[in-house]
Amino acid sequence: EAGYREVVPSPDGATIALLCDSGALLLLSQKSRTLLATLQPSEPTARFGGCQCVAYSPDGALLFASGGGNGRVQVWDVRRRVCIHTWHDGSGVRTTRIALSPDGRYVATGSDAGVVALYETAAVVAGGEPKALKEFMNVRTAITALAFNHSSELLAFASKYAKASMRVAHLATRRVYPNWPTSKTPLKYVQSFAFSPGSGYLSFGNDKGAALLYRLNHFEAA
């Protein structure tokens, strides 16, 4: 492979998912660094460039991978290296980001249309076409960053293609916080973000090379 778009280690320390520039999805052993399987082949000439994004379940047993049009998402059994279910995320033509909540309850997807959809994991892996619990439509360009906080209470999402395109949703109420970020928050074009281990802080980096750190007072631990 000429290059890699993303390197994602499994939470259990057993495997690494490599998302290649060619659109291929490779599975490696973390211990030996050897190739275990090619889960999706290269699609360099495909309209949507093969695999778009991947995310592991909290226990590392399942791997969710999007690829192709129509919001196709595959669920892989990592130990057996087999696809156990394919479903379609209806929030856009392409699913550009996937995240799973640390408690294993939710799967979130972000699309090329800027829509973030929230699903119950149990409904997704049960088979058929799951119905979204909620669709957040606060961003208008492709979602490029998506993450839950450690307690699975918050879901943050952003797009690097539009200025100030970052929002944080409260999952219990399934609403986006209206009081942050504000029009005065110096977001610029958000390239990435991360919660601290205890969710006491949220940091993001922008196109100006700045890394800003915000305190989330609801969480006592850092």
Side-chain angles (χ1 to χ4, degrees), residues 69-149:
N70 301 318
R72 186 188 72 190
V73 181
Q74 293 180 315
V75 184
W76 290 84
D77 182 311
V78 175
R79 183 179 62 83
R80 293 188 293 149
R81 285 45 138 179
V82 295
C83 179
I84 59 174
H85 181 45
T86 299
W87 55 285
H88 295 84
D89 172 30
S91 61
V93 175
R94 285 186 301 133
T95 298
T96 54
R97 300 304 300 173
I98 303 175
L100 281 89
S101 61
D103 64 2
R105 182 179 177 184
Y106 298 113
V107 176
T109 61
S111 76
D112 57 348
V115 178
V116 171
L118 183 69
Y119 300 88
E120 282 191 332
T121 306
V124 168
V125 300
E129 296 292 344
K131 182 178 180 181
L133 298 171
K134 175 70 176 182
E135 289 187 339
F136 300 100
M137 301 182 182
N138 306 86
V139 175
R140 298 182 181 277
T141 52
I143 300 298
T144 53
L146 179 67
F148 291 90
N149 78 315

Side-chain angles (χ1 to χ4, degrees), residues 200-213:
Y201 295 91
L202 174 61
S203 179
F204 63 86
N206 62 30
D207 62 315
K208 300 300 182 183
L212 291 91
L213 184 67

Side-chain angles (χ1 to χ4, degrees), residues 10 12 14-16 27-28 36-37 39 55-57 60-64 75-84:
S10 65
D12 62 358
T15 60
I16 299 172
L27 190 68
L28 276 67
L36 298 174
L39 302 184
Y56 281 96
S57 60
L62 300 176
L63 181 66
F64 293 70
V75 184
W76 290 84
D77 182 311
V78 175
R79 183 179 62 83
R80 293 188 293 149
R81 285 45 138 179
V82 295
C83 179
I84 59 174

